[in-house]
Amino acid sequence: MSETNPAAAAAVPAEAAPHRYTAAVAADIEARWQDFWDAEGTYAAPNPKGDLAGDPAVVARPKKFIMDMFPYPSGAGLHVGHPLGYIATDVYARFQRMTGHNVLHTLGFDAFGLPAEQHAVQTGEHPRVTTEAAINNMKAQLRRLGLGHDKRRSFATIDPAYYKWTQWIFLQIFNSWYDDEAKKARPISELIAQFESGERTVPGHTRAWNELTADERADVLSEFRLAYASDSPVNWCPGLGTVLANEEVTADGRSERGNYPVFKAKLRQWNMRITAYAERLLEDLDELDWPEAIKLQQRNWIGRSEGARVDFPIDGEHITVFTTRPDTLFGATYMVLAPEHPLVEKFTPAAWPEGTHEAWTGGHATPAEAVAAYRAQAASKSDVERQAEAKDKTGVFTGAFATNPVDGERIPVFIADYVLMGYGTGAIMAVPGHDARDFEFARAFELPIRCVVEPSDDRGTDTSTWDDAFVSYDAKLVNSSSDDVRLDGLGVVDAKARITEWLARKGIGEGTVNFRLRDWLFSRQRYWGEPFPIVYDEDGIAHALPESMLPLELPEVEDYSPRTFDPDDADTQPETPLSRNEEWVNVTLDLGDGPKKYRRETNTMPNWAGSCWYEFRYLDPHNDQQLVDPEIERYWMGPRAGQPHGGVDLYVGGAEHAVLHLLYARFWSKVLFDLGHVSSAEPFHKLFNQGMIQAYVYRDSRGIAVPAAEVEERDGAYYHQGEKVSRLLGKMGKSLKNAVTPDEIAAEYGADTLRLYEMAMGPLDVSRPWDTRAVVGQFRLLQRLWRNIVDEATGEVTVTDAEPGEDTLRALNKAIDGVRQDLEGLRFNTAIAKVTELNNHLTKAGGALPRSVAEPLVLMAAPLAPHIAEELWHKLGHTDSVVHQDFPVADPAYVVDETVTCVVQIKGKVKARLEVPPSISDEELEKVALGDERVVAALDGAGIRKVIVRAPKLVNIVPA
């Protein structure tokens, strides 16, 4: 074995160093080891049973299930920003394998959705063709990065074998209801049994269950099912030709995709009753290891508030409101309904009541005209626009009066767009004296304002002099008593309790909890999505397909586009691509009671459906008999110490999925848990949000992006083809002409260099700018690592069997200890810094590396740069893959510094620095400091009033 000096070898010219680590050498090494890993199944994680069962000794190890958020395969391929999270999870997974874990790490593809369909609309090419081509391209790009995925477990959501189970889960949800007493989902058959036995009364009917028609029974069950179809206000986007969930509408009231206007419309759509789980979705957040910012976003979206339900009588019936301030009931001087409220038409009279204020009519001759015109106006606004804190409040009087239940006073009922059907009951009692929006509305419409909460400022109780509402949760009630109930003099908390008890006793209200969360709109008027496993009989009653008919595959259609409309035309209706295939839509089926004619559901599921449960499919990907084998699911995801709800051990992805995907996946997991299909009530125990790799965007004088690669910098300014351009840090993307592909970097430096650079750029959870020029720094690190072990002239290994010196042992063990802690804590940038520091120490030390140093150095690099580590490991004479070696363990004796520097101060000024043992006691350190000749000289005979010791690093002396 040669003992060439590695430092001297660095000076060898390229033509005399045929074995130098270059981009070409890196490419050869990386391709060979990727082939080897695939052929050997190096990353195959064994299950405890089934077709993926493996070595019982590996199964017996502690497990780690590590996941990335589902990638969507884009036709444009990856840029260097995309794999940031994938590289991070790969590094972590490799480290966990080396620390004795059975690691499941794989990757599938979320392949239904709008981009592929839009391409199909434009070209006529089937979305499956373009999607599968994009998947293959993405697989090749990811493979080149050396990601250690168990490829046996990969799949795409468009695989019928996969979406069979998406459809199956939908049917479990459809055939379930939420039992508020048991606080869990139960099969709908158990509810039917309760109705049949009389144990539970049939809501809305005086007849027994067996006396109801099939249509009536279906309507009753629809009010309970966790998946149900209903006529309800939806977000209709004519420009896309589909309806959207609330979460898919931007704050500007436009579609997240395409930026088209979104309108409120009433359509029959499928919904998921996620609201039944609101309390549990809130409570279980506490046990999850998630970023607090994400938890807060979910809490805010769910929006729990405590208050009371109150019934306001009107024409022999009542309007129900939810209020968080029932203590202010005596201050309610009018009511407001959302324009879409179903009771508006019912109570709107033919003519204006005598004495109606002109300001209330909106200039219309009749209440019906006023209501119709205002509803049309409100439909053109987004919920965000309607709730904006604008001073100019709009609305119209319905012509109807309700009765305030606490004092019997008749109060007018308005509709106004600042009240939404999506919150509470879609109706409010307006207390203008103590609510800012109600106050503005009352001033605009000449409505009475009553003070019922004593102001703590000097405004007094005469509201005619007020400039704004007085809002307080810590004041006394006034003007709030009747013969039946007295609140005067009570604080807010006591007044709430008293009025709530009174409402319940009178049977006109009760204390209740309300949530901002709305049921999840689950229909899309699209082609490229999972078909619903639902058919309708000739009476329009929905029937679930039996499991034997799953998967219900997408049929061929001639036109993939939903019918789209003028983006601004709100008065339109959806027409779906599936509805045009009449042979598929109209079928004769035997669902157990003989052949009958049915009509299939022609909407498809939203693109979120497939990603709601994919973690379970990774566990048991080839099972065609059940969703997942219970024993396999318990092994990988079951509850355990520190993870009371079970779930994936680490889930890495973008913070942009804080509400949509994460909330939906949690809901599906809880339903499956309640029904006994899985043991984990939460899908993801630990969540980590990686930052974004940003890039500079260069724009010309027209504001158009120019190719970043063609921009020149001169004297601090930037030019493209001679024209000065602006530079701004932003996203990386093809449309911004600043995308850098991983293929480019891998070709120039190798994939290991790309991996190191992305991990070294900064903390994983922080966004950082891409700089291609800086990549070379990590390439040089790998060159030095290579040169410390391999002779560039001969290709021979240069390590010796000599014992390392004390300094090297200390540097090595400190690095091992630090890198181990950093990798465990996902601090990859500091782990790389420690490897770099050690490697530089070894380079400067000169001479051949001892084997006892070279091998742990390679092992430390293995999770970060696996290809070069694998190559060096084998050059060092090993035949087993580096992937499954034990990560080195530091010797504690060498981790602690032999000495530390102690600063001695007198009157706050440094007078001496002492080298002392790190284990020195306060008493010993004080004695050493006071005996030091520099300290004695500085004191110059002065007495000592106080000595403050913070061993081993500080002594502060206060002279007398």
Side-chain angles (χ1 to χ4, degrees), residues 261-478:
V262 176
F263 304 93
K264 285 293 180 186
K266 205 165 189 179
L267 300 170
R268 190 160 188 83
Q269 303 289 314
W270 281 98
N271 298 272
M272 291 276 179
R273 207 179 300 275
I274 191 174
T275 49
Y277 282 83
E279 195 75 64
R280 283 172 60 185
L281 288 167
L282 267 180
E283 289 175 354
D284 290 353
L285 278 172
D286 294 338
E287 302 288 350
L288 300 181
D289 185 4
W290 286 18
E292 280 304 317
I294 301 295
K295 289 186 178 183
L296 180 61
Q297 286 185 66
Q298 290 222 347
R299 289 189 181 105
N300 290 342
W301 191 263
I302 295 167
R304 186 184 192 277
S305 53
E306 294 186 10
R309 175 185 60 77
V310 186
D311 294 337
F312 282 70
I314 180 171
D315 295 347
E317 298 187 45
H318 64 262
I319 296 173
T320 299
V321 304
F322 169 80
T323 175
T324 59
R325 294 295 303 271
D327 55 302
T328 64
L329 253 171
F330 282 92
T333 59
Y334 64 99
M335 296 187 75
V336 184
L337 305 185
E340 307 90 345
H341 199 292
L343 293 180
V344 172
E345 292 167 346
K346 186 172 186 178
F347 295 128
T348 299
W352 294 117
E354 188 176 345
T356 297
H357 291 232
E358 187 176 339
W360 297 5
T361 68
H364 294 281
T366 66
E369 290 176 17
V371 166
Y374 191 80
R375 278 180 150 179
Q377 174 188 324
S380 66
K381 296 181 182 180
S382 71
D383 286 357
V384 174
E385 289 173 315
R386 286 171 54 171
Q387 286 194 300
E389 296 293 337
K391 286 289 181 185
D392 298 328
K393 293 297 177 194
T394 64
V396 292
F397 178 41
T398 63
F401 287 86
T403 302
N404 189 326
V406 291
D407 58 14
E409 182 178 327
R410 292 177 75 239
I411 57 177
V413 180
F414 285 74
I415 60 172
D417 59 12
Y418 76 92
V419 177
L420 306 176
M421 277 305 296
Y423 181 77
T425 63
I428 67 162
M429 62 175 212
V431 183
H434 309 289
D435 180 274
R437 292 181 307 171
D438 295 347
F439 183 92
E440 292 160 11
F441 191 92
R443 281 282 194 259
F445 288 89
E446 303 169 10
L447 288 156
I449 299 173
R450 186 176 299 145
C451 174
V452 295
V453 179
E454 187 174 41
S456 55
D457 50 27
D458 59 2
R459 70 176 69 193
T461 59
D462 180 4
T463 60
S464 65
T465 65
W466 290 11
D467 295 324
D468 56 10
F470 173 72
V471 182
S472 174
Y473 296 90
D474 184 22
K476 297 208 179 304
L477 275 292
V478 295

Side-chain angles (χ1 to χ4, degrees), residues 502-520:
W502 181 83
L503 290 167
R505 182 157 39 86
K506 288 288 188 179
I508 55 173
E510 62 180 350
T512 187
V513 174
N514 193 62
F515 295 92
R516 178 178 178 267
L517 181 66
R518 297 296 91 198
D519 281 345
W520 172 19

Side-chain angles (χ1 to χ4, degrees), residues 780-926:
R780 288 174 182 150
L781 166 61
L782 295 180
Q783 287 185 313
R784 286 193 294 271
L785 172 64
W786 179 269
R787 199 159 49 236
N788 271 327
I789 296 172
V790 177
D791 186 313
E792 292 182 331
T794 66
E796 292 182 14
V797 170
T798 60
V799 301
T800 72
D801 293 325
E803 290 298 316
E806 186 81 7
D807 286 351
T808 296
L809 277 174
R810 197 166 295 283
L812 173 65
N813 282 278
K814 278 189 172 183
I816 291 171
D817 182 61
V819 171
R820 180 181 272 266
Q821 291 183 46
D822 287 343
L823 293 181
E824 184 64 56
L826 305 177
R827 297 184 297 272
F828 305 128
N829 59 319
T830 54
I832 292 169
K834 291 178 175 68
V835 171
T836 304
E837 185 179 357
L838 173 63
N839 198 52
N840 289 344
H841 168 88
L842 298 174
T843 301
K844 289 175 184 175
L849 287 191
R851 178 176 290 273
S852 59
V853 174
E855 292 192 348
L857 174 62
V858 170
L859 292 172
M860 276 189 281
L864 297 154
H867 306 92
I868 192 173
E870 191 79 87
E871 183 76 4
L872 291 173
W873 189 248
H874 281 73
K875 280 184 176 294
L876 287 166
H878 300 281
T879 55
D880 293 342
S881 171
V882 75
V883 170
H884 295 291
Q885 301 307 307
D886 291 337
F887 198 85
V889 178
D891 183 339
Y894 291 103
V895 172
V896 178
D897 286 331
E898 197 169 16
T899 63
V900 295
T901 301
C902 173
V903 173
V904 183
Q905 295 178 333
I906 299 175
K907 290 185 178 180
K909 294 183 178 180
V910 177
K911 296 299 180 182
R913 287 184 170 84
L914 311 174
E915 294 300 315
V916 299
S919 58
I920 194 169
S921 68
D922 285 357
E923 293 78 11
E924 289 174 314
L925 183 57
E926 180 177 341

Side-chain angles (χ1 to χ4, degrees), residues 221-236:
L221 294 179
S222 184
E223 294 299 316
F224 288 85
R225 291 186 188 276
L226 289 177
Y228 64 95
S230 69
D231 293 312
S232 56
V234 295
N235 301 308
W236 165 236

